[in-house]
Amino acid sequence: MSATIASLRESLCSETIPLPIRFRALFSLKHLAVQNKGTADSLSAIDAIAAAFASPSALLKHELAYCLGQTGSDAAIPHLTQVLEDLQEDPMCRHEAAEALGALGNAQSLGVLQKYLHREGEDVSVKETCEIAIDRIEWENSEERKQEKLRQSDFASVDPAPPMPEEDEKQTVETLEKKLLDTSLPLFKRYRAMFALRDLASPPDLPTAVPAILALAKGLKDESALFRHEIAFVFGQLSHPASIPALTEALSNLDEVSMVRHEAAEALGSLGDEEGVEETLLKFLHDKEKVVRESVIVALDMAEFEQSGQAEYALIPEVASKAS
């Protein structure tokens, strides 16, 4: 294991180090896992990320699972499967592990995902995530995928669902909004509309950007907490000021589930240089929900970074210099 990975692992796994620094160590390890894919360093970085599942922080563990899903490496599958199978684990972490298995797209995960989709008494967000992950893996390995023409996205993330294919009629904000809000459609299809709308909102000066944001914001009223949390995540990716009112409302609603509120807080963190955002976040620094409090701490760190104009939030300087 390289000295850099060993040092990052130590920071990530230490409960005495402030959460924002642990998040930066995590994103740096993910970067190393992706950059060095197929090497011993990549495997060491994946093992280092997985070692932090011993943490009591649900927020951190859910982020670990997300990052493992973004590595594109099958070496992450056993770690993620173990989290999904641990019924004592926070459902937010188990859902993220299922989503990450979907992102990795390996058909060997279908069995475990089917198991928890159909498990008696399973948390609804875990069930819904398993449903979407199964559909994503089946799509990933299908002939249909090879035929589809997907619009080039500005986002490098591996998403729970691909955007709607371009040949699905002329995509307008209106047609995509209809699909987004149509609860008779499978979640996977609705997610495809969600990510197509995201892509119509980037770059932010596109004429479709604000209408797409307003269409997405309607999804924050959906019955599914999983769906609402994904809308907040997309808003965090877009960092568009037009999403601030909807995100502020979601975070401020104390009856909203913490899975959605914490995602809204982190999304606001990506908009930290916009007027009033930092003040909003500060109001929830002592929230009753631990995952919201921790998200606000991370979001305020992101907000400070946004105002500082540094190049890359995710990377600590040593890794950033090697990445450039």
Side-chain angles (χ1 to χ4, degrees):
M1 189 192 306
S2 76
T4 301
I5 291 172
S7 165
L8 289 168
R9 177 176 178 144
E10 197 177 328
S11 297
L12 176 63
C13 294
S14 168
E15 294 301 325
T16 57
I17 285 179
L19 206 51
I21 294 172
R22 296 173 75 188
F23 264 63
R24 291 187 186 214
L26 167 59
F27 297 143
S28 302
L29 284 164
K30 180 190 80 171
H31 175 81
L32 290 168
V34 172
Q35 289 297 310
N36 302 295
K37 196 173 169 188
T39 68
D41 269 357
S42 179
L43 292 177
S44 295
I46 285 167
D47 286 345
I49 292 171
F53 278 123
S55 172
S57 167
L59 178 70
L60 180 68
K61 287 185 287 191
H62 125 289
E63 205 66 38
L64 301 174
Y66 174 76
C67 286
L68 286 174
Q70 297 298 302
T71 62
S73 172
D74 287 351
I77 291 173
H79 300 300
L80 292 165
T81 302
Q82 193 174 346
V83 174
L84 175 57
E85 298 237 61
D86 181 359
L87 300 183
Q88 304 309 307
E89 186 52 272
D90 189 298
M92 192 172 89
C93 306
R94 294 181 61 232
H95 121 75
E96 202 65 54
E99 186 177 292
L101 289 170
L104 292 170
N106 191 315
Q108 79 177 62
S109 300
L110 287 170
V112 74
L113 291 165
Q114 290 280 4
K115 176 180 172 182
Y116 291 99
L117 170 62
H118 299 297
R119 188 178 84 87
E120 188 85 23
E122 185 55 84
D123 179 88
V124 68
S125 67
V126 174
K127 279 174 96 80
E128 288 179 343
T129 306
C130 288
E131 177 197 323
I132 296 166
I134 290 163
D135 283 350
R136 193 196 181 286
I137 292 172
E138 288 177 345
W139 171 83
E140 180 77 35
N141 295 284
S142 68
E143 283 302 312
E144 170 199 354
R145 180 183 77 88
K146 296 172 192 160
Q147 310 304 321
E148 286 185 357
K149 187 166 179 287
L150 300 180
R151 179 178 181 267
Q152 186 60 41
S153 176
D154 292 342
F155 300 93
S157 56
V158 183
D159 301 312
M164 287 281 184
E166 286 196 316
E167 59 268 22
D168 264 26
E169 66 202 82
K170 175 79 183 87
Q171 286 188 6
T172 64
V173 170
E174 291 73 24
T175 58
L176 290 168
E177 181 185 319
K178 270 202 186 98
K179 290 188 172 114
L180 178 81
L181 302 176
D182 183 351
T183 53
S184 70
L185 290 176
L187 275 168
F188 184 72
K189 285 217 164 118
R190 298 178 66 203
Y191 267 46
R192 295 198 74 170
M194 188 190 301
F195 289 104
L197 282 164
R198 176 197 65 184
D199 290 347
L200 288 180
S202 178
D205 54 359
L206 275 185
T208 49
V210 172
I213 296 279
L214 297 177
L216 286 164
K218 292 178 186 173
L220 282 169
K221 303 294 183 197
D222 196 78
E223 281 179 22
S224 163
L226 181 77
F227 191 84
R228 299 195 301 274
H229 116 290
E230 199 64 33
I231 296 274
F233 172 80
V234 164
F235 280 163
Q237 286 190 306
L238 288 167
S239 301
H240 195 296
S243 67
I244 292 173
L247 288 168
T248 303
E249 185 184 341
L251 174 59
S252 305
N253 178 6
L254 302 183
D255 294 328
E256 179 55 282
V257 296
S258 55
M259 178 178 170
V260 178
R261 293 182 64 225
H262 100 81
E263 206 70 67
E266 286 189 27
L268 285 168
S270 72
L271 287 151
D273 52 350
E274 297 290 333
E275 194 181 340
V277 166
E278 215 169 342
E279 290 81 349
T280 297
L281 288 168
L282 283 165
K283 288 181 198 164
F284 299 97
L285 202 47
H286 303 290
D287 196 82
K288 64 178 180 14
E289 298 281 355
K290 183 186 178 195
V291 70
V292 175
R293 291 196 301 275
E294 290 186 340
S295 293
V296 168
I297 291 167
V298 172
L300 286 167
D301 185 60
M302 286 167 71
E304 192 180 318
F305 158 80
E306 289 293 335
Q307 290 159 14
S308 72
Q310 294 170 53
E312 174 65 87
Y313 176 76
L315 303 178
I316 58 169
E318 187 186 347
V319 179
S321 64
K322 288 181 180 171
S324 55

